[in-house]
């Protein structure tokens, strides 16, 4: 008698069966060509089988439990009318039970962020932003609870993106009257020469990442109108001297390229009713040799002052292409010797 080539039935002790009543939502949950299921299998080390409107999760107790929680949370998200993007799945897999979607959660935006287990979302005009790592979640909570916050870490960890999202949220919620986005006008290792055009034309290339983030959260015409009316300002760091920034949400991006004097100047612009966020990457300093980074000095001098928060990111918090995290880790390993 020939041996059957079929896979023997799974041990029921190592199998969890989940039933999803809406077949259309189940299709969205699985993703095109079951890519969402494949991602969960690869990340958690389980096997997921489709059986009609059921999913069988097969694996060891811990991974199997995590996979069932992820699937149930994502399905609840779809039931609530939300979309399911790759970033949503990535967040669930990175953050575990703390990221589980709660369709009943609601309330004032700032109140929502109180407590370590609270659901964290940032509402903007165009989209809803949700942190995808624990470090991002802690950072967003700091932005809402502290008047001065620092976000320090490598590229691609969402430091500036999340800060601008919080700024837009606080503006449309009436918590501030304007948004001011700034960064030093320093070339990243190359000389750009004399750029043509008026002052705006000359500084726009340096400010483009801030425009990109802003356009993700506000309709184009609304963003343009707000900039025309100076409700939103995007300006080089040098333009901040002599100003007092009151009732504003202020972001300084690429702060590692601010000198010590520039950093002191910027920090002392903070006025009544304002919040200030400083973001930077200590590994990408483009200042001339021998010039000290103001981010280093600010971190050293201000770290023990109450109501000033410092949040740190690592390559594990990179939310761009997966290769970006691998690239950063390779450079970090090389620098460590």
């Amino acid at each position: 008698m020939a041996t059957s080539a079929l896979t023997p039935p799974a041990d029921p002790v190592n199998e969890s069966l989940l039933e999803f009543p809406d077949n259309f939502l189940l299709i969205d949950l699985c993703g095109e060509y079951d890519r969402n299921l494949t991602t969960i299998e690869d990340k958690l080390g389980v096997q997921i089988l489709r059986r009609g409107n059921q999913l069988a999760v097969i694996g060891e107790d811990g991974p199997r439990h995590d996979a069932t929680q992820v699937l149930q949370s994502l399905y609840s998200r779809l039931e609530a009318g939300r979309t399911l993007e790759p970033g949503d799945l990535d967040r669930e897999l990175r953050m575990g039970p703390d990221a589980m979607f709660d369709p009943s959660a609601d309330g004032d935006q700032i109140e929502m962020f109180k407590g370590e287990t609270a659901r964290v979302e940032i509402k903007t005009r165009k989209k809803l932003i949700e942190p995808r790592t624990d470090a991002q979640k802690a950072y967003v909570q700091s932005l809402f609870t502290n008047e001065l916050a620092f976000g320090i870490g490598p590229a691609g960890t969402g430091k500036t993106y999340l800060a601008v999202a919080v700024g837009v949220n606080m503006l449309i919620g009436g918590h501030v009257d304007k948004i001011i986005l700034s960064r030093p006008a320093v070339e990243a290792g190359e000389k750009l020469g004399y750029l043509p055009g008026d002052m705006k034309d000359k500084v726009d290339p340096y400010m483009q990442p801030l425009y990109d983030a802003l356009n993700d959260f506000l309709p184009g015409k609304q963003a343009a109108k707000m900039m025309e009316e100076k409700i939103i300002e995007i300006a080089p760091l040098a333009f901040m001297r002599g100003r007092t920034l009151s009732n504003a949400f202020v972001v300084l991006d690429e702060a590692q390229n601010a000198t010590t004097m520039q950093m002191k100047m910027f920090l002392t612009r903070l006025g009544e009713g304002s919040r200030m966020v400083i973001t930077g990457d200590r590994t990408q300093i483009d200042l001339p040799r021998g010039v000290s980074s103001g981010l280093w000095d600010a971190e050293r001098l201000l770290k023990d002052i109450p109501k000033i928060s410092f949040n740190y990111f690592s390559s594990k918090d990179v939310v761009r292409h997966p290769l970006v995290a691998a690239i950063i880790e390779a450079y970090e390993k090389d620098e460590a010797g």
Side-chain angles (χ1 to χ4, degrees), residues 30-208:
C30 295
E32 188 177 13
Y33 303 116
D34 290 345
R35 66 181 180 187
N36 293 342
L37 301 186
T38 301
T39 299
I40 295 171
E41 288 178 328
D42 292 343
K43 293 289 186 181
L44 297 181
V46 297
Q47 183 182 8
I48 303 175
L49 304 176
R50 292 182 63 175
R51 298 171 182 168
N53 68 333
Q54 296 178 328
L55 293 178
V57 183
I58 303 167
E60 299 298 324
D61 288 349
R64 188 176 80 252
H65 174 72
D66 291 343
T68 58
Q69 281 202 312
V70 167
L71 290 166
Q72 288 170 332
S73 176
L74 294 174
Y75 187 79
S76 295
R77 179 186 186 88
L78 291 167
E79 282 187 314
R82 301 282 189 88
T83 58
L84 179 52
E85 304 294 336
D88 302 316
L89 175 56
D90 180 61
R91 182 186 59 260
E92 300 285 348
L93 290 169
R94 285 175 185 255
M95 298 181 66
D98 285 345
M100 295 297 113
F101 179 75
D102 178 7
S104 65
D106 202 353
D108 179 80
Q109 190 74 33
I110 293 181
E111 290 297 319
M112 186 186 296
F113 296 109
K114 293 183 177 178
E116 290 188 5
T117 60
R119 177 171 59 93
V120 176
E121 295 178 343
I122 310 168
K123 297 174 184 176
T124 69
R125 286 276 189 254
K126 287 179 69 174
K127 60 168 65 174
L128 187 71
I129 311 302
E130 299 171 81
R132 289 165 58 178
T133 70
D134 289 327
Q136 285 192 351
K137 178 180 176 181
Y139 176 58
V140 171
Q141 288 174 318
S142 292
L143 299 185
F144 275 93
T145 55
N146 293 284
E147 293 179 349
L148 178 57
F150 286 77
I152 300 172
T157 50
K159 305 180 299 296
T160 304
Y161 190 80
L162 291 172
V164 176
V166 171
V168 169
N169 172 270
M170 298 194 77
L171 178 66
I172 63 180
H175 299 290
V176 296
D177 295 335
K178 62 169 59 177
I179 296 174
I180 300 173
L181 309 176
S182 183
R183 46 167 28 201
V186 177
E187 295 101 337
E190 67 280 344
K191 298 298 181 183
L192 300 181
Y194 291 99
L195 296 171
D198 59 18
M199 183 59 70
K200 184 177 185 301
D201 294 329
K202 292 178 187 295
V203 302
D204 270 359
Y206 300 104
M207 304 296 118
Q208 192 59 50

Side-chain angles (χ1 to χ4, degrees), residues 6 14 23 38 63 82 90 95 108-109 130 146 151 192 200 248 252 258 265 267 271 287 294 301 304 308 313 335 337:
L6 296 176
N14 292 328
N23 283 325
T38 301
R82 301 282 189 88
D90 180 61
M95 298 181 66
D108 179 80
Q109 190 74 33
E130 299 171 81
N146 293 284
L192 300 181
K200 184 177 185 301
L252 175 61
M265 176 273 291
L267 292 172
L287 291 168
L301 296 169
D304 296 324
I308 298 179
F313 300 87
E335 289 169 4

Side-chain angles (χ1 to χ4, degrees), residues 12 82 99 128 230 254 258-259 278 285 297 306 336:
R82 301 282 189 88
L128 187 71
K230 299 296 184 181
E254 297 288 339
T259 66
I278 315 294
I285 297 174
D297 289 328

